[in-house]
Each structure stands twice: as C-alpha cells, then as structure tokens.
C-alpha cells in the first residue's frame, strides 16, 4: 500500500514522522511512503512575468528546502523507501490529488490540534483534506 505523508517542515511534520517510525511495522514495512510537500502558488500577477522554466526551478528549490531535511530525518530513522513529490497550489487540494494519483490507501499528516472553534473560524489544511479525501486520513498531534 502507498501511504502519502504530507510534509511542511514544521514540528507537526516531525511528530507525524516520529509516529510513523514508532509504528514502523504498520506504516513502513511492506508499504511505500510518498512524501508530498506543497509550495504555496505564487499570485497570478507575479507568476505571469516569470518564465515557466524559472518558475518550475523556483518550486523545486523551495520544495527541496523542506523535503531534504525530511529525507535525512527518515534515513536517520531507518526509513529509506520514500518517494517525493513537490507540488504547488492549495495544500489540501494538492495533497488529496497526490494521494489519488499515487493510488494511496492512507494519508498521514501532522496537525496543530486546533479546537472545533479554531477550525471553524480559521479553517485548516487537515480539515479540508478530511473533507475532500475519499480514503482514510490519519492526523498526528
């Protein structure tokens, strides 16, 4: 089974990865991890004036700033079977799209653990992923 792990470089990503490592037999052994990082899309007025090659390179470099330390962390935890996707756009939509495209059976992501009122007022990527995904989502707090 493929397991999509949403990574943003935050302490919440670290908690999710630590949980995955602690539950290694459930999440790692015999499964493929797909790390997905979503760079915020540049506003249309800004991206309109940038060559597509340059824009692609920008997203690749920004993604590497987050993904490379995560890959090192996973290697330190003894997890080497992870592929990487760097995407850009709306985080929740891209995470769900990546999971569908990969044929994943689970999405794992860290969360701040906001209460219901905080989610209702501010929204959250996790809440949006749960609403849009047609597969299980595991939130690690």
């Amino acid at each position: 089974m493929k397991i999509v792990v949403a990574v943003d470089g935050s302490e919440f990503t670290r908690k999710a990865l630590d949980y995955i490592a602690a539950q290694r037999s459930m999440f790692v052994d015999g499964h493929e991890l797909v790390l997905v990082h979503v760079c915020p899309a540049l506003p249309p007025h800004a991206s309109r004036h940038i060559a597509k090659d340059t824009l692609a390179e920008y997203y690749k470099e920004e993604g590497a700033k987050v993904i490379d330390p995560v890959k090192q962390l996973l290697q330190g935890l003894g997890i080497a079977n992870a592929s990487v996707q760097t995407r850009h756009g709306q985080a929740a939509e891209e995470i769900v799209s990546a999971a569908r495209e990969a044929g994943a059976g689970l999405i794992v992501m860290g969360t701040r653990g906001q209460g219901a009122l905080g989610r209702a007022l501010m929204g959250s990527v996790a809440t949006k992923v749960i609403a849009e995904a047609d597969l299980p989502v595991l939130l690690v707090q």
Side-chain angles (χ1 to χ4, degrees), residues 74-98:
L74 286 174
Q75 288 171 350
L77 295 171
I79 301 170
N81 62 335
S83 60
V84 173
Q85 289 188 24
T86 301
R87 302 168 77 106
H88 64 277
Q90 297 298 319
E93 293 171 11
E94 293 299 324
I95 292 165
V96 172
S97 290

Side-chain angles (χ1 to χ4, degrees), residues 49-105:
H49 304 290
I50 301 173
K52 287 186 181 186
D53 291 346
T54 304
L55 193 56
E57 187 61 30
Y58 166 78
Y59 286 126
K60 183 178 178 181
E61 289 174 9
E62 289 301 305
K65 290 177 186 176
V66 172
I67 291 289
D68 289 350
V70 170
K71 285 173 30 181
Q72 290 175 348
L73 172 64
L74 286 174
Q75 288 171 350
L77 295 171
I79 301 170
N81 62 335
S83 60
V84 173
Q85 289 188 24
T86 301
R87 302 168 77 106
H88 64 277
Q90 297 298 319
E93 293 171 11
E94 293 299 324
I95 292 165
V96 172
S97 290
R100 285 181 182 141
E101 290 167 16

Side-chain angles (χ1 to χ4, degrees), residues 12-68:
F12 308 104
T13 293
R14 174 62 194 244
K15 288 180 181 181
L17 295 171
D18 286 343
Y19 182 80
I20 288 169
Q23 305 298 323
R24 182 180 184 87
S25 63
M26 187 179 348
F27 293 105
V28 179
D29 297 338
H31 302 291
E32 179 187 342
L33 298 181
V34 180
L35 306 176
V36 176
H37 173 65
V38 182
C39 296
L42 292 176
H45 67 275
S47 60
R48 218 176 297 152
H49 304 290
I50 301 173
K52 287 186 181 186
D53 291 346
T54 304
L55 193 56
E57 187 61 30
Y58 166 78
Y59 286 126
K60 183 178 178 181
E61 289 174 9
E62 289 301 305
K65 290 177 186 176
V66 172
I67 291 289
D68 289 350

